[in-house]
Amino acid sequence: MYRLEEPTRPGEVRPGGRTARVRSAVLTAVVDELLDHGYASFAMDRVSARAGVGRTTLYRRWGSPSALVRDLLQSIAEQTMPIPDTGSVEEDLRIITQALLEAHLDQRLQATIQGIIAAAGCAPEIDEALRTFFQSRATEAAVVITRAVERGELPPGTDGVDIFRMLAAPLCFRLLVSREPVDQAVADRTAAVILHAARTGLFTTPDAQ
Amino acid sequence: MYRLEEPTRPGEVRPGGRTARVRSAVLTAVVDELLDHGYASFAMDRVSARAGVGRTTLYRRWGSPSALVRDLLQSIAEQTMPIPDTGSVEEDLRIITQALLEAHLDQRLQATIQGIIAAAGCAPEIDEALRTFFQSRATEAAVVITRAVERGELPPGTDGVDIFRMLAAPLCFRLLVSREPVDQAVADRTAAVILHAARTGLFTTPDAQ
């Protein structure tokens, strides 16, 4: 999940053709620009040069640095996230936690996310896009919890969205705040703590799905 | 905990006298500079002007934007954090979680922490200072867990530092990543989930204190 889109190779045919190729090249350039200069010094002209896409196209299609960053977030959201259905909530959570761990170990992706988070501090519409991005991911993943409730593995009213917040939080905390490494042991303990609490009913809310 | 130091009022006598007053004025100016311009556009000259402290003093005592930001982090670390000793781990954790919640509800403090986190992405020595800051806070707070183990409330080998990582993580995650509000319900659920897992032994590690 959360993979960064690779630029299309010459000769490779992609659904969407030229439009999709331009978007891919531009979003790769947006990542490079965020990593090299940050949002505070973001320059549309450098994105145009990096991507090999004319300024006119860039301005007509995106219009602003904020729109570029929001489209980057959208492209990350379009990447496949595993929504497992193994019949066991423990195994489903293990698979999702593993995907979260791999996303956190991807340095370019993490640096990009940090760049987007910094940008959200400057631009309210990016702040809003980040909120929407997280909410839609968590809502998708919450189906795993809904199924577990239907199977009787978790108590009725278990709040799947909050479970995914708490699954993701310790990994994010280490990368963003305490600046400590993330590894399998962190992911495993987090999943175990959350699952145990969920089984006990600590994640039930009156208005959960 | 984590309160930002207030500038000294005229006529107020502080331990340390002029040196402490200069530091207080400078660190307030560093916060303003971080909030207005961010670390990428940080200007020592503006800090000098904001603080009413000469450039010579500023350069002699701190020398660089990175040293100023690290001293700001140090001043936050010097503020009192409650290390309760009520005789009940549940009550101790409630008090600490409450202090964490209040720190997360302090908008100026949170914006400052976000500015420091963004700065850590530019300067390895700030990244290192942030790691040390978090580690020393968590190690101080972990004494609450050590006492709970001694009283037989938690299993031997319970990892107090990891408990504080996981207590802080969901609040930080909402503020920094998912951009959702934090409130009492979030703090209460987090404390309940962590305490339950700790009692079950999910936080024991062979090499914990």
Short mmCIF file of all heavy atoms in Angstrom, two decimals, chain B residues 150-188:
data_model
loop_
_atom_site.label_atom_id
_atom_site.label_comp_id
_atom_site.label_asym_id
_atom_site.label_seq_id
_atom_site.Cartn_x
_atom_site.Cartn_y
_atom_site.Cartn_z
N GLU B 150 6.68 -3.20 40.84
CA GLU B 150 7.08 -3.49 42.23
C GLU B 150 5.87 -3.75 43.12
O GLU B 150 5.93 -4.56 44.04
CB GLU B 150 7.91 -2.32 42.79
CG GLU B 150 9.32 -2.24 42.20
CD GLU B 150 10.02 -0.91 42.46
OE1 GLU B 150 9.44 -0.03 43.16
OE2 GLU B 150 11.14 -0.75 41.96
N ARG B 151 4.76 -3.05 42.86
CA ARG B 151 3.54 -3.27 43.66
C ARG B 151 2.79 -4.53 43.22
O ARG B 151 1.77 -4.87 43.81
CB ARG B 151 2.60 -2.07 43.49
CG ARG B 151 3.00 -0.82 44.24
CD ARG B 151 1.86 0.21 44.27
NE ARG B 151 1.40 0.58 42.93
CZ ARG B 151 1.85 1.63 42.23
NH1 ARG B 151 2.75 2.44 42.76
NH2 ARG B 151 1.38 1.88 41.03
N GLY B 152 3.24 -5.15 42.13
CA GLY B 152 2.55 -6.34 41.62
C GLY B 152 1.34 -6.02 40.75
O GLY B 152 0.55 -6.91 40.43
N GLU B 153 1.21 -4.75 40.32
CA GLU B 153 0.07 -4.39 39.46
C GLU B 153 0.29 -4.79 38.01
O GLU B 153 -0.66 -4.96 37.26
CB GLU B 153 -0.19 -2.88 39.52
CG GLU B 153 -0.88 -2.40 40.79
CD GLU B 153 -1.40 -0.98 40.58
OE1 GLU B 153 -0.60 -0.02 40.72
OE2 GLU B 153 -2.58 -0.82 40.27
N LEU B 154 1.57 -4.83 37.61
CA LEU B 154 1.90 -5.20 36.23
C LEU B 154 2.95 -6.31 36.26
O LEU B 154 3.72 -6.41 37.23
CB LEU B 154 2.43 -3.98 35.45
CG LEU B 154 1.45 -2.84 35.18
CD1 LEU B 154 2.14 -1.70 34.47
CD2 LEU B 154 0.24 -3.33 34.36
N PRO B 155 3.01 -7.12 35.19
CA PRO B 155 3.97 -8.24 35.19
C PRO B 155 5.42 -7.75 35.17
O PRO B 155 5.72 -6.69 34.59
CB PRO B 155 3.65 -8.97 33.88
CG PRO B 155 2.41 -8.40 33.35
CD PRO B 155 2.18 -7.08 33.98
N PRO B 156 6.33 -8.51 35.79
CA PRO B 156 7.76 -8.18 35.72
C PRO B 156 8.21 -8.08 34.26
O PRO B 156 7.71 -8.83 33.42
CB PRO B 156 8.44 -9.38 36.40
CG PRO B 156 7.38 -10.02 37.22
CD PRO B 156 6.07 -9.74 36.54
N GLY B 157 9.12 -7.15 34.01
CA GLY B 157 9.64 -7.00 32.65
C GLY B 157 8.78 -6.12 31.76
O GLY B 157 9.03 -6.01 30.56
N THR B 158 7.75 -5.46 32.33
CA THR B 158 6.91 -4.56 31.52
C THR B 158 7.76 -3.36 31.06
O THR B 158 8.45 -2.74 31.86
CB THR B 158 5.70 -4.07 32.33
OG1 THR B 158 4.91 -5.19 32.72
CG2 THR B 158 4.83 -3.12 31.51
N ASP B 159 7.69 -3.08 29.76
CA ASP B 159 8.55 -2.07 29.13
C ASP B 159 7.88 -0.69 29.22
O ASP B 159 7.03 -0.35 28.40
CB ASP B 159 8.78 -2.49 27.67
CG ASP B 159 9.69 -1.52 26.91
OD1 ASP B 159 9.90 -0.38 27.38
OD2 ASP B 159 10.19 -1.91 25.84
N GLY B 160 8.27 0.10 30.23
CA GLY B 160 7.65 1.40 30.49
C GLY B 160 7.84 2.39 29.35
O GLY B 160 6.94 3.17 29.03
N VAL B 161 9.01 2.36 28.72
CA VAL B 161 9.27 3.31 27.62
C VAL B 161 8.31 3.03 26.46
O VAL B 161 7.73 3.95 25.88
CB VAL B 161 10.74 3.24 27.17
CG1 VAL B 161 10.96 3.99 25.86
CG2 VAL B 161 11.66 3.80 28.26
N ASP B 162 8.11 1.75 26.16
CA ASP B 162 7.21 1.43 25.04
C ASP B 162 5.76 1.80 25.37
O ASP B 162 5.00 2.22 24.50
CB ASP B 162 7.32 -0.04 24.66
CG ASP B 162 6.93 -0.25 23.19
OD1 ASP B 162 7.19 0.66 22.38
OD2 ASP B 162 6.37 -1.30 22.86
N ILE B 163 5.41 1.67 26.66
CA ILE B 163 4.06 2.07 27.07
C ILE B 163 3.86 3.57 26.80
O ILE B 163 2.82 3.99 26.29
CB ILE B 163 3.83 1.72 28.54
CG1 ILE B 163 3.56 0.21 28.65
CG2 ILE B 163 2.67 2.53 29.15
CD1 ILE B 163 3.33 -0.31 30.04
N PHE B 164 4.87 4.39 27.05
CA PHE B 164 4.70 5.83 26.83
C PHE B 164 4.74 6.20 25.36
O PHE B 164 4.05 7.14 24.96
CB PHE B 164 5.66 6.63 27.69
CG PHE B 164 5.22 6.52 29.11
CD1 PHE B 164 5.86 5.68 30.01
CD2 PHE B 164 4.07 7.17 29.53
CE1 PHE B 164 5.38 5.51 31.30
CE2 PHE B 164 3.59 7.01 30.81
CZ PHE B 164 4.25 6.18 31.70
N ARG B 165 5.50 5.44 24.58
CA ARG B 165 5.41 5.62 23.13
C ARG B 165 3.97 5.40 22.67
O ARG B 165 3.41 6.21 21.93
CB ARG B 165 6.26 4.56 22.44
CG ARG B 165 7.61 5.00 22.03
CD ARG B 165 8.25 3.91 21.18
NE ARG B 165 9.66 3.87 21.46
CZ ARG B 165 10.25 2.93 22.18
NH1 ARG B 165 9.58 1.92 22.69
NH2 ARG B 165 11.55 3.01 22.39
N MET B 166 3.38 4.31 23.11
CA MET B 166 2.04 3.97 22.61
C MET B 166 0.95 4.85 23.22
O MET B 166 -0.11 5.01 22.62
CB MET B 166 1.77 2.48 22.80
CG MET B 166 2.57 1.68 21.79
SD MET B 166 2.01 -0.03 21.55
CE MET B 166 0.40 0.16 20.84
N LEU B 167 1.21 5.41 24.39
CA LEU B 167 0.26 6.39 24.96
C LEU B 167 0.26 7.68 24.14
O LEU B 167 -0.78 8.28 23.90
CB LEU B 167 0.67 6.76 26.40
CG LEU B 167 0.05 6.02 27.56
CD1 LEU B 167 0.50 6.67 28.85
CD2 LEU B 167 -1.48 5.98 27.50
N ALA B 168 1.44 8.12 23.76
CA ALA B 168 1.56 9.40 23.05
C ALA B 168 1.16 9.27 21.58
O ALA B 168 0.65 10.22 20.98
CB ALA B 168 3.00 9.92 23.15
N ALA B 169 1.37 8.08 20.99
CA ALA B 169 1.24 7.93 19.54
C ALA B 169 -0.13 8.32 18.97
O ALA B 169 -0.18 9.07 17.99
CB ALA B 169 1.62 6.50 19.14
N PRO B 170 -1.25 7.84 19.53
CA PRO B 170 -2.53 8.17 18.89
C PRO B 170 -2.85 9.67 18.91
O PRO B 170 -3.46 10.18 17.96
CB PRO B 170 -3.56 7.38 19.71
CG PRO B 170 -2.78 6.23 20.27
CD PRO B 170 -1.43 6.83 20.60
N LEU B 171 -2.43 10.37 19.96
CA LEU B 171 -2.65 11.82 20.01
C LEU B 171 -1.81 12.50 18.92
O LEU B 171 -2.31 13.32 18.15
CB LEU B 171 -2.28 12.37 21.39
CG LEU B 171 -3.19 11.93 22.54
CD1 LEU B 171 -2.57 12.30 23.89
CD2 LEU B 171 -4.56 12.56 22.43
N CYS B 172 -0.53 12.14 18.85
CA CYS B 172 0.35 12.71 17.82
C CYS B 172 -0.16 12.38 16.42
O CYS B 172 -0.14 13.23 15.53
CB CYS B 172 1.76 12.13 17.94
SG CYS B 172 2.67 12.82 19.32
N PHE B 173 -0.61 11.14 16.23
CA PHE B 173 -1.08 10.71 14.92
C PHE B 173 -2.23 11.59 14.43
O PHE B 173 -2.27 12.02 13.28
CB PHE B 173 -1.54 9.25 14.99
CG PHE B 173 -2.03 8.71 13.69
CD1 PHE B 173 -1.14 8.30 12.71
CD2 PHE B 173 -3.39 8.61 13.42
CE1 PHE B 173 -1.59 7.81 11.50
CE2 PHE B 173 -3.85 8.12 12.21
CZ PHE B 173 -2.94 7.71 11.26
N ARG B 174 -3.18 11.87 15.33
CA ARG B 174 -4.32 12.70 14.94
C ARG B 174 -3.89 14.12 14.58
O ARG B 174 -4.35 14.68 13.60
CB ARG B 174 -5.33 12.76 16.08
CG ARG B 174 -6.17 11.50 16.18
CD ARG B 174 -7.03 11.54 17.41
NE ARG B 174 -7.96 10.44 17.43
CZ ARG B 174 -9.25 10.53 17.10
NH1 ARG B 174 -9.77 11.69 16.76
NH2 ARG B 174 -10.03 9.48 17.13
N LEU B 175 -2.98 14.67 15.37
CA LEU B 175 -2.56 16.04 15.11
C LEU B 175 -1.69 16.15 13.86
O LEU B 175 -1.84 17.08 13.07
CB LEU B 175 -1.78 16.59 16.30
CG LEU B 175 -2.65 17.17 17.40
CD1 LEU B 175 -1.81 17.49 18.62
CD2 LEU B 175 -3.37 18.43 16.92
N LEU B 176 -0.78 15.20 13.69
CA LEU B 176 0.21 15.34 12.62
C LEU B 176 -0.22 14.69 11.32
O LEU B 176 0.07 15.20 10.25
CB LEU B 176 1.55 14.72 13.05
CG LEU B 176 2.28 15.39 14.21
CD1 LEU B 176 3.53 14.60 14.56
CD2 LEU B 176 2.66 16.82 13.84
N VAL B 177 -0.88 13.54 11.40
CA VAL B 177 -1.13 12.76 10.18
C VAL B 177 -2.59 12.82 9.76
O VAL B 177 -2.90 13.32 8.68
CB VAL B 177 -0.68 11.29 10.36
CG1 VAL B 177 -0.87 10.52 9.06
CG2 VAL B 177 0.77 11.24 10.81
N SER B 178 -3.48 12.32 10.60
CA SER B 178 -4.87 12.25 10.15
C SER B 178 -5.59 13.59 10.30
O SER B 178 -6.69 13.76 9.80
CB SER B 178 -5.63 11.13 10.88
OG SER B 178 -5.89 11.47 12.22
N ARG B 179 -4.94 14.56 10.98
CA ARG B 179 -5.47 15.92 11.12
C ARG B 179 -6.87 15.91 11.74
O ARG B 179 -7.73 16.69 11.34
CB ARG B 179 -5.50 16.66 9.77
CG ARG B 179 -4.39 16.29 8.80
CD ARG B 179 -3.05 16.68 9.27
NE ARG B 179 -2.80 18.10 9.16
CZ ARG B 179 -1.61 18.65 9.33
NH1 ARG B 179 -0.57 17.89 9.63
NH2 ARG B 179 -1.45 19.93 9.24
N GLU B 180 -7.07 15.01 12.70
CA GLU B 180 -8.36 14.96 13.38
C GLU B 180 -8.22 15.57 14.77
O GLU B 180 -7.12 15.59 15.34
CB GLU B 180 -8.79 13.49 13.53
CG GLU B 180 -8.99 12.80 12.20
CD GLU B 180 -9.15 11.30 12.36
OE1 GLU B 180 -8.22 10.64 12.87
OE2 GLU B 180 -10.19 10.78 11.96
N PRO B 181 -9.30 16.04 15.34
CA PRO B 181 -9.21 16.65 16.67
C PRO B 181 -8.85 15.61 17.74
O PRO B 181 -9.11 14.42 17.58
CB PRO B 181 -10.62 17.19 16.92
CG PRO B 181 -11.51 16.48 15.97
CD PRO B 181 -10.66 16.10 14.80
N VAL B 182 -8.21 16.07 18.80
CA VAL B 182 -7.97 15.20 19.95
C VAL B 182 -8.89 15.67 21.08
O VAL B 182 -9.18 16.85 21.20
CB VAL B 182 -6.50 15.24 20.43
CG1 VAL B 182 -5.58 14.71 19.36
CG2 VAL B 182 -6.08 16.63 20.86
N ASP B 183 -9.37 14.71 21.86
CA ASP B 183 -10.25 15.07 22.97
C ASP B 183 -10.11 14.05 24.09
O ASP B 183 -9.34 13.09 24.00
CB ASP B 183 -11.70 15.21 22.51
CG ASP B 183 -12.22 13.91 21.89
OD1 ASP B 183 -11.63 12.85 22.14
OD2 ASP B 183 -13.22 13.98 21.15
N GLN B 184 -10.89 14.28 25.14
CA GLN B 184 -10.82 13.42 26.32
C GLN B 184 -11.11 11.96 25.97
O GLN B 184 -10.44 11.05 26.48
CB GLN B 184 -11.85 13.92 27.34
CG GLN B 184 -11.67 13.35 28.72
CD GLN B 184 -10.40 13.84 29.39
OE1 GLN B 184 -10.13 15.04 29.38
NE2 GLN B 184 -9.62 12.93 29.93
N ALA B 185 -12.08 11.72 25.07
CA ALA B 185 -12.45 10.35 24.73
C ALA B 185 -11.27 9.60 24.10
O ALA B 185 -11.04 8.42 24.39
CB ALA B 185 -13.66 10.35 23.79
N VAL B 186 -10.52 10.29 23.24
CA VAL B 186 -9.35 9.67 22.60
C VAL B 186 -8.31 9.31 23.66
O VAL B 186 -7.77 8.19 23.68
CB VAL B 186 -8.70 10.64 21.58
CG1 VAL B 186 -7.43 10.05 21.00
CG2 VAL B 186 -9.68 11.01 20.49
N ALA B 187 -8.05 10.25 24.57
CA ALA B 187 -7.06 10.03 25.62
C ALA B 187 -7.49 8.87 26.53
O ALA B 187 -6.68 7.99 26.85
CB ALA B 187 -6.87 11.30 26.44
N ASP B 188 -8.78 8.85 26.90
CA ASP B 188 -9.27 7.80 27.80
C ASP B 188 -9.19 6.42 27.16
O ASP B 188 -8.77 5.46 27.79
CB ASP B 188 -10.73 8.09 28.20
CG ASP B 188 -10.83 9.29 29.14
OD1 ASP B 188 -9.79 9.74 29.64
OD2 ASP B 188 -11.97 9.77 29.35
#
